[in-house]
Amino acid sequence: MNSPLLHRHHLMNTAHRPAQIFIRGEGAWLYDAEGRRYLDWMQGWAVNALGHAPAPVAAALAAQAGTLLTASPALHNAPALELAARLCQLSDFDQVFFASSGAEANEGAIKLARKWGRLHRAGAHQIITFGRAFHGRTLAAMAASGKPGWDALFPPGMPGFARAEFNNLESVERLIGPRTVAVMLEPVQGEAGVIPADAEFMRGLRQLCDQRGLLLIVDEVQTGCGRTGPLFAYQHYGIRPDIMTLGKGLGGGVPISALLATDRVSCFEPGDQGGTYCGNPLVCAAALAVLETLTAPAFLETAWRHGELLADGLRSLSREFALGEVRGSGMLWALELGRNTAPLIAAAAMDAGLLLNAPHPHCLRFMPPLNSSAAEIETGLSLLAEALAHYA
Ligand SMILES: Cc1ncc(COP(=O)(O)O)c(C=O)c1O
């Protein structure tokens, strides 16, 4: 039989992909067409909160697929109504808009802040974002991001953003002007290499936004839905943001994202925002199943304990191989290597049967499923040790 790889030239060349074709996933494990299995600590870049093909999501999708796939975003459907209510109940927000990707949710957050500025702040529209931030790949989300080199990629860039330094409150204060409407940040900068916002910085931002009449937007596309420990990472800090975006883990592998806002800020009117697939019942049913699992008794506590096991293991590997800092919380961690060996180590790990992400040449990122067992964490750590031994 001809390998489907023969067709790869028909795919646009947007990523360096290894030669394996992955055909099946089960929990923490991913299987290739040759029957080889890999412990997957990428999980679609922190998408599969419950691992591959989780039974509650599969069941919810099957039931919903046989009932109603899509009606119209201009008609009510029960899963979207229930999901919106559940998200509000579990968070500090009052209203939700559903979309399909993280970038799209952030696009909505930017529009909402701009509209609020038009209505309440005399047309203020500028949003302060941060160096090394990642908010997605639409043009507005790219302009909001601080990924080095992105400014020059698809000129002209979208105006309306100013860039401050992460964890530096003064750098934010300096940028605030009459046109500033909001500050937008990831509570933990994931793509930058798992850099958490300091508690003092986050609380200072909330205070500053209150004093200067600005909105605080948290992009929890990566950190939300239990990834860093609590259901939402802003809950680490004891603050209440005005706007939050979710994606990735929310659908447990199914493309759904959400924009949440407090009543004070939620000012969209019919026609302001929409999309063909926004809030369709199929993806909302999947997200409801994910939330039900994440909020089951002891689920997040167990994930936290197993995340600590992972962190302890990473710290001891760091000592053994004379590597650098271990950063993160919950099931989102990074290991600094102190040298540019991350791509080599990720390749060696794949050979050993462990899928890892190297967001930077000097840093590895770990995103196991939240329901990883202690035994799976131990297995991953010993496969990682094998890979590290090659490049110590
Ligand atoms: C913090 C954050 N925001 C937004 C996005 C973009 O999400 P998506 O790729 O679903 O558009 C990502 C993706 O990695 C992310 O980590």
Side-chain angles (χ1 to χ4, degrees):
M1 200 178 73
N2 284 337
S3 163
L5 267 187
L6 282 175
H7 307 305
R8 75 177 131 187
H9 60 284
H10 288 299
L11 281 178
M12 288 195 189
N13 186 19
T14 57
H16 298 291
R17 298 185 178 96
Q20 290 92 332
I21 297 182
F22 291 94
I23 54 167
R24 189 169 73 83
E26 193 181 341
W29 298 90
L30 195 54
Y31 294 78
D32 71 17
E34 309 289 311
R36 182 143 195 249
R37 74 172 191 164
Y38 304 78
L39 187 69
D40 184 1
W41 278 4
M42 294 203 291
Q43 292 290 337
W45 283 275
V47 163
N48 300 326
L50 308 178
H52 290 284
V57 175
L61 284 172
Q64 192 60 46
T67 312
L68 180 65
L69 282 176
T70 284
S72 157
L75 300 174
H76 278 309
N77 73 73
L81 291 163
E82 275 173 43
L83 180 61
R86 190 81 182 107
L87 282 171
C88 291
Q89 191 186 35
L90 291 166
S91 69
D92 289 282
F93 303 92
D94 304 301
Q95 297 209 323
V96 186
F97 171 80
F98 293 115
S100 307
S101 69
E104 218 185 327
N106 285 334
E107 194 82 21
I110 293 162
K111 285 185 184 176
L112 189 65
R114 286 186 177 189
K115 172 140 193 206
W116 187 84
R118 178 152 59 77
L119 295 178
H120 302 290
R121 291 286 318 282
H125 59 268
Q126 191 180 61
I127 300 178
I128 296 175
T129 61
F130 292 90
R132 302 201 292 173
F134 187 86
H135 296 297
R137 291 175 177 276
T138 60
L139 287 172
M142 284 184 77
S145 298
K147 213 171 147 77
W150 267 23
D151 292 356
L153 261 187
F154 303 107
M158 181 169 294
F161 299 93
R163 185 116 341 115
E165 192 186 325
F166 199 63
N167 280 331
N168 180 340
L169 198 59
E170 265 177 32
S171 76
V172 179
E173 227 168 336
R174 275 198 298 274
L175 288 175
I176 298 174
R179 292 179 177 188
T180 311
V181 72
V183 177
M184 175 173 179
L185 80 162
E186 300 152 85
V188 180
Q189 289 192 324
E191 300 299 306
V194 189
I195 318 276
D198 301 337
E200 201 185 333
F201 174 65
M202 189 64 114
R203 291 190 198 123
L205 272 184
R206 179 65 275 179
Q207 231 174 12
L208 189 60
C209 286
D210 288 342
Q211 283 160 1
R212 307 293 289 266
L214 308 180
L215 302 178
L216 183 61
I217 305 172
V218 288
D219 173 348
E220 295 231 23
V221 168
Q222 186 160 150
T223 56
C225 302
R227 177 57 56 184
T228 72
L231 199 53
F232 307 111
Y234 77 81
Q235 293 167 331
H236 280 295
Y237 300 93
I239 57 133
R240 298 173 69 168
D242 301 295
I243 294 175
M244 172 171 76
T245 54
L246 298 174
K248 292 186 183 277
L250 179 62
V254 172
I256 177 168
S257 64
L259 159 66
L260 296 92
T262 59
D263 270 336
R264 180 178 78 91
V265 172
S266 190
C267 57
F268 279 155
E269 295 166 294
D272 282 345
Q273 181 65 325
T276 302
Y277 295 113
C278 293
N280 91 67
L282 184 73
V283 296
C284 290
L288 273 168
V290 171
L291 279 185
E292 196 179 323
T293 309
L294 296 182
T295 55
F299 181 93
L300 288 180
E301 290 79 358
T302 309
W304 178 267
R305 263 193 296 111
H306 293 173
E308 288 297 300
L309 270 186
L310 171 57
D312 288 345
L314 292 176
R315 286 186 200 108
S316 100
L317 288 174
S318 175
R319 279 191 299 274
E320 184 182 339
F321 292 98
L323 306 173
E325 189 187 16
V326 173
R327 289 185 299 266
S329 68
M331 283 289 188
L332 181 62
W333 293 92
L335 170 62
E336 278 297 331
L337 300 168
R339 55 205 103 152
N340 286 347
T341 47
L344 293 171
I345 292 168
M350 189 165 184
D351 286 344
L354 173 68
L355 299 184
L356 287 185
N357 167 244
H360 298 281
H362 50 82
C363 160
L364 293 168
R365 182 170 44 159
F366 306 88
M367 300 162 280
L370 304 189
N371 54 0
S372 298
S373 67
E376 284 164 344
I377 297 294
E378 294 302 339
T379 303
L381 286 165
S382 48
L383 292 171
L384 175 61
E386 223 180 282
L388 287 171
H390 281 91
Y391 297 98

